[in-house]
């Protein structure tokens, strides 16, 4: 198999994940899109490892080792990310990123307005 096939598939996966991160409003879907991007990186690591090991005749397989490391990091990221999303959902009642940003900005403006009122008094 040529190296171009997994590279093109990886690029398509990465672009799909990037679109998901930029276009989605739900925090859980954003985390899933990040996972798709990490899987694209894993596919590239394994494909280039197989291609380079065939060319150099070495048996180190460092791309596969990095893939296992990436999978472990991705599992930890999903665990922590879901815990944060659930905590935010319990406190605010939504996991919509735009609404969370709007509430954070309104709290900042309320705090700034309150500080200005105290300073003038």
């Amino acid at each position: 198999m040529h190296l171009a096939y997994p590279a093109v598939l990886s690029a398509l996966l990465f672009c799909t994940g990037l679109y998901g991160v930029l276009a989605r409003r739900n925090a859980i879907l954003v985390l899933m899109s990040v996972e798709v991007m990490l899987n694209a990186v894993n596919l590239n690591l394994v494909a280039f490892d197989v291609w380079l090991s065939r060319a150099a005749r070495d048996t180190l397989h460092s791309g596969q080792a990095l893939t296992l490391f990436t999978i472990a990091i991705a599992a930890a990221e999903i665990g922590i990310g879901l815990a944060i999303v659930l905590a935010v959902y319990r406190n605010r009642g939504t996991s919509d990123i735009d609404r969370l940003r709007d509430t954070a900005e309104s709290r900042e403006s309320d705090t700034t307005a309150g500080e200005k009122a105290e300073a003038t008094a």
Side-chain angles (χ1 to χ4, degrees):
M1 180 187 317
H2 293 286
L3 183 62
Y5 297 134
V8 168
L9 178 62
S10 176
L12 289 174
L13 277 174
F14 193 84
C15 290
T16 303
L18 185 64
Y19 173 75
V21 167
L22 296 176
R24 298 291 177 199
R25 291 188 177 145
N26 191 347
I28 294 175
L29 291 177
V30 170
L31 287 173
M32 289 174 60
S33 297
V34 169
E35 287 297 317
V36 170
M37 291 168 64
L38 286 173
N39 285 331
V41 171
N42 288 339
L43 180 62
N44 257 342
L45 283 171
V46 171
F48 278 99
D49 178 52
V50 169
W51 183 66
L52 289 174
S53 68
R54 240 187 258 163
R57 304 273 188 236
D58 67 352
T59 57
L60 188 57
H61 298 299
S62 58
Q64 293 177 13
L66 284 173
T67 298
L68 289 174
F69 182 71
T70 306
I71 290 171
I73 295 296
E77 176 252 335
I78 280 294
I80 292 171
L82 282 177
I84 291 170
V85 168
L86 288 175
V88 167
Y89 182 78
R90 284 183 186 162
N91 288 336
R92 305 271 175 95
T94 185
S95 64
D96 187 7
I97 295 174
D98 290 336
R99 287 186 188 171
L100 294 174
R101 187 179 305 129
D102 292 341
T103 57
E105 288 173 358
S106 67
R107 285 186 181 182
E108 283 180 4
S109 64
D110 291 343
T111 305
T112 307
E115 290 174 357
K116 287 181 181 177
E118 288 177 5
T120 58

